[in-house]
Amino acid sequence: MNNVTVIGSINLDRSIRTPRMAKGGETIHINESFSAGGGKGANQAVAAKRLGADTHFIGAIGEDDAGKMMMELLTEEKIDLSGVEKLLRTSTGQAYVIVSDDGENSIYVLGGANMQLAPKHVESHADLIAASNWIVAQFETPLDSTIRAFEIAKQNGVATLLNPAPAVDEIPTELLKLTDLIIPNETETEILTGIKVTDESQMQKAAVKLHSLGVKAVLITLGSHGTFYSYQGETGIVPAFKVKAIDTTAAGDTFIGALSSKLKPDLSNLTDAIRFSNRASSITVQRLGAQPSIPYLNELD
Ligand code: ATP
Ligand code: RIB
Protein backbone atom coordinates (compact mmCIF):
# COMPACT_ATOMS: atom_id res chain seq x y z
CA MET A 1 0.00 0.00 0.00
CA ASN A 2 1.37 3.44 -0.90
CA ASN A 3 1.65 6.17 1.70
CA VAL A 4 0.48 9.39 -0.01
CA THR A 5 0.59 13.00 1.21
CA VAL A 6 -1.50 15.50 -0.74
CA ILE A 7 -0.79 19.21 -0.36
CA GLY A 8 -3.61 21.30 -1.79
CA SER A 9 -7.03 22.89 -1.72
CA ILE A 10 -10.19 22.14 0.21
CA ASN A 11 -13.39 23.65 -1.27
CA LEU A 12 -17.05 23.37 -0.57
CA ASP A 13 -18.56 22.93 -4.04
CA ARG A 14 -21.93 24.49 -4.78
CA SER A 15 -23.15 22.89 -7.99
CA ILE A 16 -26.04 23.43 -10.36
CA ARG A 17 -27.22 21.12 -13.11
CA THR A 18 -28.73 23.00 -16.02
CA PRO A 19 -30.28 21.94 -19.37
CA ARG A 20 -27.72 24.17 -21.11
CA MET A 21 -25.24 26.96 -20.35
CA ALA A 22 -26.90 30.41 -20.18
CA LYS A 23 -25.72 33.06 -22.63
CA GLY A 24 -24.43 36.40 -21.26
CA GLY A 25 -27.37 38.40 -19.86
CA GLU A 26 -29.80 35.44 -20.10
CA THR A 27 -31.85 33.90 -17.23
CA ILE A 28 -32.82 30.22 -17.41
CA HIS A 29 -34.39 27.58 -15.13
CA ILE A 30 -32.09 24.83 -13.85
CA ASN A 31 -32.73 21.17 -12.96
CA GLU A 32 -31.23 21.04 -9.46
CA SER A 33 -28.65 22.49 -7.09
CA PHE A 34 -26.57 20.75 -4.42
CA SER A 35 -23.48 21.21 -2.21
CA ALA A 36 -20.71 18.63 -1.90
CA GLY A 37 -17.08 18.22 -0.91
CA GLY A 38 -14.59 19.48 -3.50
CA GLY A 39 -11.26 21.19 -4.10
CA LYS A 40 -8.64 19.59 -6.33
CA GLY A 41 -6.42 18.69 -3.37
CA ALA A 42 -9.19 17.21 -1.25
CA ASN A 43 -10.67 15.32 -4.23
CA GLN A 44 -7.29 13.77 -5.02
CA ALA A 45 -6.83 12.78 -1.36
CA VAL A 46 -10.31 11.20 -1.27
CA ALA A 47 -9.54 9.25 -4.44
CA ALA A 48 -6.16 8.07 -3.12
CA LYS A 49 -7.75 6.90 0.13
CA ARG A 50 -10.83 5.23 -1.39
CA LEU A 51 -8.56 3.43 -3.86
CA GLY A 52 -6.24 1.98 -1.25
CA ALA A 53 -3.55 4.45 -0.09
CA ASP A 54 -2.75 5.48 3.44
CA THR A 55 -3.46 9.21 2.90
CA HIS A 56 -2.37 12.43 4.66
CA PHE A 57 -3.37 15.99 3.86
CA ILE A 58 -1.62 19.36 4.18
CA GLY A 59 -3.97 22.31 3.63
CA ALA A 60 -6.04 25.07 5.20
CA ILE A 61 -9.67 25.85 6.01
CA GLY A 62 -11.35 29.00 7.36
CA GLU A 63 -13.22 29.59 10.56
CA ASP A 64 -16.72 28.85 9.21
CA ASP A 65 -19.43 26.21 8.70
CA ALA A 66 -18.01 25.19 5.31
CA GLY A 67 -14.66 24.40 6.95
CA LYS A 68 -16.40 22.42 9.70
CA MET A 69 -18.40 20.47 7.12
CA MET A 70 -15.31 19.70 5.02
CA MET A 71 -13.37 18.50 8.08
CA GLU A 72 -16.26 16.19 8.97
CA LEU A 73 -16.44 14.78 5.44
CA LEU A 74 -12.67 14.19 5.20
CA THR A 75 -12.58 12.68 8.71
CA GLU A 76 -15.27 10.18 7.62
CA GLU A 77 -12.93 9.21 4.78
CA LYS A 78 -10.27 8.37 7.42
CA ILE A 79 -7.74 10.73 5.81
CA ASP A 80 -5.08 11.95 8.26
CA LEU A 81 -5.92 15.67 8.72
CA SER A 82 -3.15 16.53 11.20
CA GLY A 83 -1.65 18.78 8.49
CA VAL A 84 -4.80 20.89 8.04
CA GLU A 85 -4.64 24.35 9.60
CA LYS A 86 -7.69 26.38 10.63
CA LEU A 87 -7.06 30.03 9.76
CA LEU A 88 -8.76 32.83 11.67
CA ARG A 89 -10.80 35.56 9.94
CA THR A 90 -10.72 33.69 6.62
CA SER A 91 -13.35 31.74 4.73
CA THR A 92 -12.96 28.16 3.51
CA GLY A 93 -12.44 27.76 -0.25
CA GLN A 94 -15.59 27.64 -2.34
CA ALA A 95 -16.25 26.55 -5.90
CA TYR A 96 -19.32 27.29 -8.02
CA VAL A 97 -19.76 24.42 -10.48
CA ILE A 98 -22.14 24.60 -13.44
CA VAL A 99 -22.82 21.33 -15.29
CA SER A 100 -25.05 21.19 -18.37
CA ASP A 101 -27.04 18.15 -19.55
CA ASP A 102 -24.52 17.52 -22.32
CA GLY A 103 -21.78 17.07 -19.69
CA GLU A 104 -20.03 20.42 -20.23
CA ASN A 105 -18.86 22.17 -17.04
CA SER A 106 -17.59 25.58 -15.88
CA ILE A 107 -16.09 26.19 -12.45
CA TYR A 108 -15.56 29.49 -10.60
CA VAL A 109 -13.29 29.24 -7.53
CA LEU A 110 -13.01 31.52 -4.48
CA GLY A 111 -9.64 30.46 -3.00
CA GLY A 112 -10.16 31.72 0.60
CA ALA A 113 -7.97 29.92 3.14
CA ASN A 114 -6.34 27.81 0.41
CA MET A 115 -4.51 30.91 -0.82
CA GLN A 116 -2.94 31.46 2.60
CA LEU A 117 -1.27 28.07 2.94
CA ALA A 118 2.29 29.14 3.83
CA PRO A 119 5.69 27.42 3.39
CA LYS A 120 6.14 27.70 7.19
CA HIS A 121 3.06 25.53 7.65
CA VAL A 122 4.39 22.97 5.17
CA GLU A 123 7.71 22.86 7.05
CA SER A 124 5.92 22.09 10.29
CA HIS A 125 4.59 18.90 8.64
CA ALA A 126 7.86 17.80 7.03
CA ASP A 127 7.56 14.48 8.90
CA LEU A 128 4.38 13.57 6.94
CA ILE A 129 6.13 14.26 3.63
CA ALA A 130 9.30 12.41 4.62
CA ALA A 131 7.33 9.27 5.54
CA SER A 132 5.44 9.15 2.19
CA ASN A 133 6.00 7.25 -1.06
CA TRP A 134 4.37 10.08 -3.03
CA ILE A 135 3.68 13.76 -2.49
CA VAL A 136 0.95 15.15 -4.75
CA ALA A 137 0.26 18.85 -5.50
CA GLN A 138 -1.88 21.05 -7.78
CA PHE A 139 -2.15 24.82 -8.37
CA GLU A 140 -5.06 25.84 -6.11
CA THR A 141 -2.65 26.67 -3.25
CA PRO A 142 0.38 29.02 -3.31
CA LEU A 143 3.34 28.00 -5.46
CA ASP A 144 5.99 28.75 -2.80
CA SER A 145 4.39 26.18 -0.46
CA THR A 146 4.38 23.54 -3.18
CA ILE A 147 8.05 24.22 -3.94
CA ARG A 148 8.88 23.88 -0.23
CA ALA A 149 6.94 20.60 -0.02
CA PHE A 150 8.74 19.18 -3.07
CA GLU A 151 12.15 20.29 -1.70
CA ILE A 152 11.44 18.41 1.52
CA ALA A 153 10.26 15.41 -0.52
CA LYS A 154 13.43 15.31 -2.64
CA GLN A 155 15.68 15.69 0.44
CA ASN A 156 13.99 12.55 1.77
CA GLY A 157 13.87 10.47 -1.44
CA VAL A 158 10.08 10.85 -1.81
CA ALA A 159 8.56 10.78 -5.33
CA THR A 160 6.75 13.97 -6.46
CA LEU A 161 3.61 14.23 -8.62
CA LEU A 162 2.48 17.62 -9.96
CA ASN A 163 -0.98 18.17 -11.46
CA PRO A 164 -0.63 21.67 -12.99
CA ALA A 165 -4.31 22.57 -12.63
CA PRO A 166 -5.88 25.07 -12.94
CA ALA A 167 -3.61 25.96 -15.86
CA VAL A 168 -0.82 28.53 -15.54
CA ASP A 169 1.26 30.04 -18.38
CA GLU A 170 4.56 29.08 -16.89
CA ILE A 171 5.80 26.85 -14.09
CA PRO A 172 9.04 27.96 -12.37
CA THR A 173 11.91 25.72 -13.55
CA GLU A 174 12.80 25.35 -9.87
CA LEU A 175 9.55 23.41 -9.36
CA LEU A 176 9.84 21.36 -12.56
CA LYS A 177 13.32 20.21 -11.56
CA LEU A 178 11.82 18.87 -8.32
CA THR A 179 9.00 17.06 -10.19
CA ASP A 180 9.24 13.35 -11.01
CA LEU A 181 5.85 13.01 -12.69
CA ILE A 182 3.71 15.78 -14.23
CA ILE A 183 0.07 15.18 -15.25
CA PRO A 184 -1.65 18.01 -17.18
CA ASN A 185 -4.81 17.59 -19.26
CA GLU A 186 -4.86 18.63 -22.95
CA THR A 187 -5.64 22.31 -22.31
CA GLU A 188 -3.05 22.63 -19.56
CA THR A 189 -0.46 20.96 -21.82
CA GLU A 190 -1.11 23.50 -24.58
CA ILE A 191 -0.91 26.45 -22.19
CA LEU A 192 2.31 25.14 -20.61
CA THR A 193 4.16 24.11 -23.77
CA GLY A 194 2.53 26.16 -26.53
CA ILE A 195 1.94 22.85 -28.38
CA LYS A 196 -1.65 21.91 -29.33
CA VAL A 197 -2.09 18.19 -28.61
CA THR A 198 -4.08 17.28 -31.71
CA ASP A 199 -2.44 13.87 -32.25
CA GLU A 200 0.12 11.53 -30.71
CA SER A 201 3.12 13.14 -32.41
CA GLN A 202 2.12 16.52 -30.91
CA MET A 203 1.83 14.84 -27.50
CA GLN A 204 5.34 13.47 -27.93
CA LYS A 205 6.62 16.96 -28.78
CA ALA A 206 4.94 18.44 -25.70
CA ALA A 207 6.43 15.66 -23.56
CA VAL A 208 9.93 16.29 -24.96
CA LYS A 209 9.57 19.95 -23.99
CA LEU A 210 8.50 19.06 -20.43
CA HIS A 211 11.31 16.48 -20.10
CA SER A 212 13.81 19.12 -21.24
CA LEU A 213 12.68 21.29 -18.31
CA GLY A 214 13.64 18.56 -15.84
CA VAL A 215 10.54 16.33 -15.44
CA LYS A 216 11.24 12.57 -15.54
CA ALA A 217 7.80 11.29 -16.57
CA VAL A 218 4.93 12.98 -18.41
CA LEU A 219 1.30 11.84 -18.60
CA ILE A 220 -1.36 13.81 -20.50
CA THR A 221 -4.98 12.98 -19.67
CA LEU A 222 -7.10 12.99 -22.83
CA GLY A 223 -10.68 12.82 -21.50
CA SER A 224 -12.65 10.10 -23.31
CA HIS A 225 -9.51 9.17 -25.30
CA GLY A 226 -7.57 7.98 -22.25
CA THR A 227 -4.06 8.87 -21.18
CA PHE A 228 -0.78 9.51 -23.02
CA TYR A 229 2.50 8.57 -21.29
CA SER A 230 6.15 9.33 -21.89
CA TYR A 231 8.85 7.82 -19.69
CA GLN A 232 12.44 6.73 -20.30
CA GLY A 233 12.07 7.00 -24.09
CA GLU A 234 8.84 4.98 -24.25
CA THR A 235 5.54 6.63 -25.23
CA GLY A 236 1.99 5.44 -25.87
CA ILE A 237 -1.70 5.93 -25.13
CA VAL A 238 -3.68 3.80 -22.67
CA PRO A 239 -7.29 4.07 -23.96
CA ALA A 240 -10.17 5.19 -21.75
CA PHE A 241 -13.08 2.91 -20.85
CA LYS A 242 -16.17 3.47 -23.01
CA VAL A 243 -18.90 4.91 -20.79
CA LYS A 244 -21.62 7.58 -20.99
CA ALA A 245 -20.33 10.64 -19.14
CA ILE A 246 -22.86 12.84 -17.33
CA ASP A 247 -20.54 15.04 -15.24
CA THR A 248 -16.75 15.03 -15.64
CA THR A 249 -16.11 17.15 -12.50
CA ALA A 250 -13.20 15.50 -10.61
CA ALA A 251 -12.39 13.04 -13.43
CA GLY A 252 -8.85 14.40 -13.48
CA ASP A 253 -8.66 14.42 -9.66
CA THR A 254 -9.82 10.80 -9.49
CA PHE A 255 -7.16 9.87 -12.05
CA ILE A 256 -4.40 11.58 -10.02
CA GLY A 257 -5.51 10.14 -6.66
CA ALA A 258 -5.92 6.65 -8.13
CA LEU A 259 -2.51 6.80 -9.74
CA SER A 260 -0.82 7.90 -6.51
CA SER A 261 -2.34 4.94 -4.71
CA LYS A 262 -1.32 2.37 -7.34
CA LEU A 263 1.93 3.57 -8.96
CA LYS A 264 5.20 2.29 -7.50
CA PRO A 265 7.60 5.20 -6.81
CA ASP A 266 10.07 3.64 -9.30
CA LEU A 267 7.28 3.77 -11.95
CA SER A 268 7.87 0.10 -12.81
CA ASN A 269 4.09 -0.55 -13.13
CA LEU A 270 3.26 2.66 -15.05
CA THR A 271 0.89 1.31 -17.74
CA ASP A 272 -0.97 -0.96 -15.27
CA ALA A 273 -1.40 1.99 -12.91
CA ILE A 274 -2.70 4.17 -15.78
CA ARG A 275 -5.26 1.50 -16.74
CA PHE A 276 -6.40 1.31 -13.09
CA SER A 277 -6.72 5.12 -12.93
CA ASN A 278 -8.59 5.34 -16.27
CA ARG A 279 -11.02 2.78 -14.85
CA ALA A 280 -11.52 4.78 -11.64
CA SER A 281 -12.15 8.03 -13.56
CA SER A 282 -14.56 6.30 -15.92
CA ILE A 283 -16.77 5.63 -12.89
CA THR A 284 -16.48 9.24 -11.65
CA VAL A 285 -17.73 10.68 -14.96
CA GLN A 286 -20.92 8.62 -14.74
CA ARG A 287 -21.96 10.32 -11.45
CA LEU A 288 -22.78 13.86 -10.33
CA GLY A 289 -20.52 16.03 -8.15
CA ALA A 290 -16.86 15.88 -7.14
CA GLN A 291 -16.25 13.83 -3.99
CA PRO A 292 -19.60 11.94 -4.07
CA SER A 293 -18.69 10.56 -7.51
CA ILE A 294 -15.25 9.12 -6.64
CA PRO A 295 -15.34 5.29 -6.55
CA TYR A 296 -14.14 2.83 -3.88
CA LEU A 297 -11.68 0.05 -4.67
CA ASN A 298 -14.37 -2.68 -4.65
CA GLU A 299 -16.23 -0.88 -7.47
CA LEU A 300 -13.31 -1.32 -9.88
CA ASP A 301 -13.68 -5.10 -10.30
P1 ATP B 1 -11.88 17.50 -15.11
O1 ATP B 1 -11.23 18.87 -15.12
O2 ATP B 1 -13.19 17.45 -15.86
O3 ATP B 1 -11.93 16.88 -13.77
P2 ATP B 1 -9.53 16.80 -16.58
O4 ATP B 1 -9.69 17.71 -17.77
O5 ATP B 1 -8.53 17.17 -15.54
O6 ATP B 1 -10.93 16.53 -15.93
P3 ATP B 1 -9.64 14.56 -18.34
O7 ATP B 1 -8.49 14.43 -19.25
O8 ATP B 1 -10.92 15.09 -18.90
O9 ATP B 1 -9.15 15.34 -17.05
O10 ATP B 1 -10.00 13.16 -17.70
C1 ATP B 1 -9.14 12.45 -16.81
C2 ATP B 1 -9.30 10.97 -17.05
O11 ATP B 1 -10.67 10.61 -16.81
C3 ATP B 1 -9.02 10.53 -18.48
O12 ATP B 1 -7.64 10.24 -18.65
C4 ATP B 1 -9.91 9.30 -18.61
O13 ATP B 1 -9.28 8.18 -18.05
C5 ATP B 1 -11.12 9.65 -17.73
N1 ATP B 1 -12.23 10.21 -18.51
C6 ATP B 1 -12.54 11.53 -18.66
N2 ATP B 1 -13.62 11.68 -19.46
C7 ATP B 1 -14.01 10.44 -19.79
C8 ATP B 1 -15.09 9.91 -20.59
N3 ATP B 1 -15.97 10.72 -21.21
N4 ATP B 1 -15.19 8.56 -20.73
C9 ATP B 1 -14.30 7.74 -20.10
N5 ATP B 1 -13.30 8.16 -19.33
C10 ATP B 1 -13.13 9.49 -19.18
O1 RIB C 1 -11.28 19.48 -10.18
C1 RIB C 1 -12.57 19.70 -9.69
C2 RIB C 1 -12.53 20.69 -8.55
O2 RIB C 1 -12.06 21.93 -9.04
C3 RIB C 1 -13.87 20.98 -7.93
O3 RIB C 1 -14.19 20.08 -6.89
C4 RIB C 1 -13.75 22.43 -7.48
O4 RIB C 1 -13.69 22.57 -6.10
C5 RIB C 1 -12.49 22.96 -8.15
O5 RIB C 1 -11.48 23.14 -7.25
Side-chain angles (χ1 to χ4, degrees):
M1 181 201 283
N2 273 346
N3 190 328
V4 174
T5 296
V6 179
I7 170 171
S9 56
I10 300 176
N11 292 338
L12 179 62
D13 285 1
R14 301 181 195 279
S15 304
I16 64 168
R17 205 163 60 77
T18 173
R20 61 177 176 80
M21 294 296 178
K23 300 188 192 88
E26 189 188 18
T27 302
I28 57 174
H29 284 276
I30 59 167
N31 306 333
E32 64 173 316
S33 70
F34 57 93
S35 295
K40 291 186 190 303
N43 297 344
Q44 293 174 14
V46 167
K49 178 69 188 173
R50 288 187 187 170
L51 295 163
D54 196 0
T55 307
H56 311 266
F57 198 84
I58 298 177
I61 54 161
E63 203 184 12
D64 52 16
D65 287 346
K68 206 165 148 242
M69 180 177 158
M70 285 310 301
M71 288 302 273
E72 281 167 11
L73 285 175
L74 297 173
T75 302
E76 272 170 34
E77 298 288 340
K78 300 197 168 48
I79 293 169
D80 167 27
L81 301 175
S82 60
V84 178
E85 195 178 25
K86 184 175 174 180
L87 300 174
L88 305 180
R89 293 177 294 281
T90 308
S91 62
T92 299
Q94 293 171 42
Y96 295 86
V97 184
I98 305 168
V99 184
S100 63
D101 280 352
D102 62 6
E104 195 189 335
N105 73 20
S106 308
I107 306 183
Y108 300 80
V109 177
L110 179 66
N114 296 313
M115 300 314 289
Q116 291 182 35
L117 184 69
K120 200 166 54 115
H121 175 66
V122 174
E123 278 163 14
S124 66
H125 294 287
D127 54 332
L128 291 181
I129 301 172
S132 304
N133 304 106
W134 283 101
I135 173 124
V136 177
Q138 330 71 33
F139 284 156
E140 280 187 338
T141 44
L143 207 56
D144 52 355
S145 297
T146 301
I147 292 175
R148 192 66 197 108
F150 277 22
E151 281 169 353
I152 295 168
K154 289 290 97 192
Q155 282 155 9
N156 289 279
V158 176
T160 53
L161 189 170
L162 180 65
N163 171 221
V168 292
D169 287 340
E170 212 180 326
I171 305 177
T173 42
E174 189 187 357
L175 179 59
L176 289 170
K177 287 205 174 95
L178 295 165
T179 301
D180 293 311
L181 170 57
I182 193 166
I183 313 185
N185 66 12
E186 293 158 290
T187 317
E188 290 146 8
T189 303
E190 185 181 341
I191 294 171
L192 277 176
T193 64
I195 298 166
K196 205 169 170 59
V197 289
T198 43
D199 58 27
E200 202 168 334
S201 73
Q202 292 293 95
M203 293 168 205
Q204 285 164 350
K205 279 187 200 145
V208 166
K209 185 146 188 193
L210 291 166
H211 288 307
S212 75
L213 296 170
V215 182
K216 293 194 193 81
V218 177
L219 304 191
I220 304 173
T221 60
L222 309 169
S224 60
H225 294 110
T227 308
F228 168 85
Y229 64 90
S230 170
Y231 179 54
Q232 289 187 333
E234 287 200 17
T235 64
I237 292 177
V238 180
F241 287 77
K242 285 202 178 358
V243 296
K244 181 163 172 26
I246 61 158
D247 175 9
T248 64
T249 310
D253 296 335
T254 302
F255 183 92
I256 306 283
L259 197 85
S260 70
S261 79
K262 189 75 171 177
L263 184 60
K264 294 182 182 162
D266 64 5
L267 275 65
S268 56
N269 63 339
L270 184 62
T271 49
D272 275 354
I274 293 174
R275 205 165 290 114
F276 173 84
S277 309
N278 281 349
R279 175 77 186 113
S281 314
S282 76
I283 296 175
T284 297
V285 303
Q286 294 176 75
R287 301 171 176 169
L288 279 182
Q291 286 166 28
S293 71
I294 298 171
Y296 292 83
L297 197 52
N298 63 7
E299 295 179 82
L300 266 65
D301 294 338

